[in-house]
């Protein structure tokens, strides 16, 4: 059974149950209130009539007073002193139709008033009766018998009962129709979400839910749409990642395959050419190794539990030590290096990872540095208890529209850049992730034709005096 059918059945069952309970409550109130009220009224009238009895035989005046009550009362009032009717000969004269039973007579002799509801043979109908004793020195001299036909009571309620049944039935029909409309309205977005989820399961992340409500179901629909957008983005990134990896691996693999086939087929005969080909194969294999290493490194850094070995580090010393490795490359380009390093900048960081940050920043700047270019590295105090390390080159610069995407995996500004000057596009991604793991931030400022400055901000180490 579908959800909307189950909901509709549940609502309908609840409505029918409510109507039945209302009807049952009405019957209960009828019994407890209306019938008791009639009994109390009969009892009161009977006691009023019995109060006029002064003992001895029933006088004509007493009977006249009882008759007056009978004419103004809605009940039938019957007064009798006939001992047979009073069951005085019971249980021997069973043929005579007495008004009271032996048990009722016993109670009347004690002065108690008797009430009863049921069929009375004497009147040939169902009645509700109250019998008040007329005692004369512990002798039952007579009774005041008050009764109303039971049909009169039930008829008074039967009209209301029909109204209740008709109103209840109409209410049930209207409620069933309204319930069907409500269930349809509630389950329509759920069915749309089910269809959208099915499309997403099949890889179609363009499916969306048209949600026009703002309740919990509406918010669930918006969350599903948001999740679809996120999945579409992740899927797009996955495709771009696979395409980039394939592109990066295809070139060195083509070189390796071509050079190795040339050597195997004997195309290369001269020893110098063989050595050159082996060198090329080794270089391309190294490029692949670095690419795989960077990918694995980035994957681990993007994990939520990457372990960092943190300790206080003099960042200026670490920058100087790292830049020494670039001296041969700077000399190769006849580039100038300018350093302005504040030795008091102490940070809490992982030595190897921060060295990797400095290395990647300088390597990236050096790639874009022109002949006789200028590389500037500064380390100064920044606001907010942080330091700022800036690596600046006077290379070709980055267009403003490209700056926001710098740091994405495999992203390159110049798509046609040759491999001698362009890296894999992973170096700055690794920088960004390591800085993030150290609680820092980074910025890129660039002007086309002027150069690029990459700055990272790291929180400074706060020394605390040991407590004595």
């Amino acid at each position: 059974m579908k959800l909307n059918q189950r909901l509709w059945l549940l609502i309908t069952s609840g409505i029918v149950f409510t109507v039945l309970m209302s009807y049952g409550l009405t019957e209960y109130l009828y019994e407890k209130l209306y019938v008791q009220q009639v009994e109390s009224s009969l009892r009161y009238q009977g006691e009023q009539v019995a109060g006029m009895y002064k003992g001895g035989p029933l006088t004509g005046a007493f009977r006249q007073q009882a008759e007056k009550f009978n004419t103004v009362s809605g009940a039938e009032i019957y007064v009798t002193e006939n001992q047979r009717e009073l069951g005085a000969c019971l249980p021997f004269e069973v043929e005579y139709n007495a008004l009271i039973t032996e048990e009722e007579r016993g109670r009347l002799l004690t002065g108690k008033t008797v009430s009863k509801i049921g069929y009375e043979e004497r009147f040939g109908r169902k009645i509700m009766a109250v019998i008040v004793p007329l005692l004369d020195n512990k002798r039952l001299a007579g009774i005041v018998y008050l009764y109303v036909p039971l049909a009169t009571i039930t008829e008074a309620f039967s009209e209301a009962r029909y109204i209740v049944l008709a109103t209840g039935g109409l209410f049930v029909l209207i409620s069933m129709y309204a319930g069907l409309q409500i269930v349809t309205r509630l389950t329509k977005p759920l069915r749309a979400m089910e269809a959208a989820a099915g499309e997403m399961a099949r890889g179609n992340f363009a499916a969306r839910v048209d949600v026009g409500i703002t309740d919990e179901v509406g918010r669930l629909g918006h969350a599903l749409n948001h999740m679809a957008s996120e999945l579409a983005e992740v899927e797009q990134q996955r495709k771009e990642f696979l395409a980039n990896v394939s592109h990066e691996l295809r070139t060195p693999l083509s070189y390796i395959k071509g050079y190795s086939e040339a050597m195997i087929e004997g195309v290369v005969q001269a020893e110098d050419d063989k050595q050159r080909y082996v060198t090329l194969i080794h270089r391309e294999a190294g490029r692949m190794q670095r690419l795989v290493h960077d990918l694995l490194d980035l994957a681990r850094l993007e994990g939520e539990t990457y372990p960092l070995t943190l300790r206080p580090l003099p960042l200026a010393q670490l920058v100087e030590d790292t830049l020494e490795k670039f001296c041969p490359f700077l000399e190769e380009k006849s580039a100038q290096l300018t350093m302005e390093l504040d030795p008091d900048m102490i940070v809490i960081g992982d030595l190897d990872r921060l060295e990797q940050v400095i290395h990647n920043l300088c390597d990236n700047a050096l790639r874009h540095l022109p002949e006789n270019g200028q590389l500037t590295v500064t380390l100064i105090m920044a606001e907010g208890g942080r330091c700022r390390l800036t690596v600046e080159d006077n290379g070709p610069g980055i267009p403003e529209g490209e700056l926001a995407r710098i740091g994405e995996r495999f992203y390159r500004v110049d798509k046609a850049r040759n491999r001698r000057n362009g890296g894999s596009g992973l170096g700055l991604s690794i920088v960004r992730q390591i800085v993030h793991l150290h609680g820092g931030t980074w910025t890129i400022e660039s002007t086309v034709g002027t150069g690029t400055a990459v700055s990272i901000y790291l929180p400074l180490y706060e020394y605390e005096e040991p407590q004595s």
Side-chain angles (χ1 to χ4, degrees), residues 183-346:
V183 168
T184 301
R185 180 179 173 80
L186 287 176
T187 56
K188 182 180 179 180
L190 293 177
R191 292 196 298 273
M193 282 186 272
E194 179 189 15
E199 290 295 323
M200 284 188 278
R202 290 188 285 273
N204 177 20
F205 300 112
R208 295 291 185 275
V209 181
D210 183 15
V211 181
I213 51 180
T214 58
D215 57 8
E216 291 82 354
V217 177
R219 290 194 289 273
L220 178 62
H222 286 298
L224 187 65
N225 287 340
H226 179 70
M227 185 179 69
S229 301
E230 294 290 330
L231 289 175
E233 185 177 343
V234 170
E235 178 65 11
Q236 180 64 27
Q237 291 176 350
R238 186 185 70 84
K239 291 179 179 177
E240 290 180 358
F241 175 76
L242 292 176
N244 288 327
V245 170
S246 301
H247 176 73
E248 294 297 329
L249 292 177
R250 183 174 54 196
T251 302
L253 283 173
S254 298
Y255 279 119
I256 292 173
K257 186 172 183 298
Y259 294 149
S260 60
E261 285 179 351
M263 295 181 67
I264 292 172
E265 294 173 359
V267 175
V268 181
Q269 297 295 331
E271 289 299 323
D272 291 345
D273 289 341
K274 288 182 179 178
Q275 183 62 36
R276 186 165 60 87
Y277 275 41
V278 169
T279 302
L280 290 172
I281 291 173
H282 182 267
R283 187 193 67 186
E284 296 303 323
R287 188 192 305 276
M288 292 176 55
Q289 186 181 34
R290 287 193 297 276
L291 175 62
V292 174
H293 179 270
D294 285 348
L295 282 173
L296 293 175
D297 225 14
L298 186 58
R300 288 195 301 155
L301 289 169
E302 289 179 343
E304 296 181 355
T305 57
Y306 182 81
L308 291 175
T309 305
L310 301 177
R311 60 175 178 171
L313 293 175
L315 195 55
Q317 184 62 49
L318 183 60
V319 172
E320 289 182 355
D321 294 344
T322 306
L323 284 175
E324 284 185 4
K325 302 174 185 178
F326 289 90
C327 289
F329 303 101
L330 291 168
E331 292 176 357
E332 185 179 343
K333 285 194 170 184
S334 300
Q336 296 293 322
L337 172 62
T338 302
M339 290 191 296
E340 182 185 346
L341 306 176
D342 186 343
D344 294 332
M345 299 297 101
I346 308 297

Side-chain angles (χ1 to χ4, degrees), residues 403-443:
L403 289 176
R405 298 199 62 185
I406 300 298
E408 294 182 8
R409 287 183 297 184
F410 295 110
Y411 186 76
R412 294 176 177 174
V413 176
D414 184 3
K415 308 299 187 296
R417 182 181 301 161
N418 62 58
R419 295 185 179 281
R420 180 180 296 276
N421 296 327
S424 61
L426 295 175
L428 291 183
S429 299
I430 293 174
V431 169
R432 184 177 65 174
Q433 193 60 28
I434 293 175
V435 171
H436 172 71
L437 290 175
H438 282 78
T441 58
W442 79 329
T443 61

Side-chain angles (χ1 to χ4, degrees), residues 87-230:
C89 302
L90 290 174
F92 305 107
E93 295 187 13
V94 293
E95 297 82 3
Y96 192 82
N97 186 17
L99 276 177
I100 56 177
T101 64
E102 185 179 2
E103 186 271 336
E104 291 169 348
R105 178 180 172 82
R107 293 176 59 188
L108 291 170
L109 284 172
T110 61
K112 294 181 179 178
T113 299
V114 175
S115 300
K116 62 181 180 180
I117 297 177
Y119 183 79
E120 178 57 56
E121 291 184 3
R122 178 66 176 272
F123 306 110
R125 61 192 310 178
K126 290 183 179 179
I127 61 169
M128 177 178 181
V130 170
I131 307 171
V132 182
L134 300 174
L135 296 177
D136 181 19
N137 294 326
K138 298 183 180 180
R139 182 180 69 86
L140 187 62
I143 59 173
V144 180
Y145 197 106
L146 302 95
Y147 71 93
V148 291
L150 196 59
T152 303
I153 300 176
T154 56
E155 285 170 0
F157 184 72
S158 62
E159 184 177 354
R161 180 181 299 172
Y162 293 141
I163 293 174
V164 169
L165 289 175
T167 305
L170 181 62
F171 175 72
V172 168
L173 293 176
I174 295 175
S175 300
M176 289 173 66
Y177 175 76
L180 181 61
Q181 297 300 317
I182 293 172
V183 168
T184 301
R185 180 179 173 80
L186 287 176
T187 56
K188 182 180 179 180
L190 293 177
R191 292 196 298 273
M193 282 186 272
E194 179 189 15
E199 290 295 323
M200 284 188 278
R202 290 188 285 273
N204 177 20
F205 300 112
R208 295 291 185 275
V209 181
D210 183 15
V211 181
I213 51 180
T214 58
D215 57 8
E216 291 82 354
V217 177
R219 290 194 289 273
L220 178 62
H222 286 298
L224 187 65
N225 287 340
H226 179 70
M227 185 179 69
S229 301
E230 294 290 330

Side-chain angles (χ1 to χ4, degrees), residues 290 294 322-323 325-326 329-330 333 355-369 375 377 391 393 417 419-428 431:
R290 287 193 297 276
D294 285 348
T322 306
L323 284 175
K325 302 174 185 178
F326 289 90
F329 303 101
L330 291 168
K333 285 194 170 184
E355 183 179 357
Q356 188 177 11
V357 168
I358 300 168
H359 180 278
N360 287 2
L361 291 177
C362 294
D363 180 69
N364 188 69
L366 194 59
R367 289 176 186 276
H368 304 95
L369 208 61
L375 178 65
V377 181
V391 178
D393 65 71
R417 182 181 301 161
R419 295 185 179 281
R420 180 180 296 276
N421 296 327
S424 61
L426 295 175
L428 291 183
V431 169

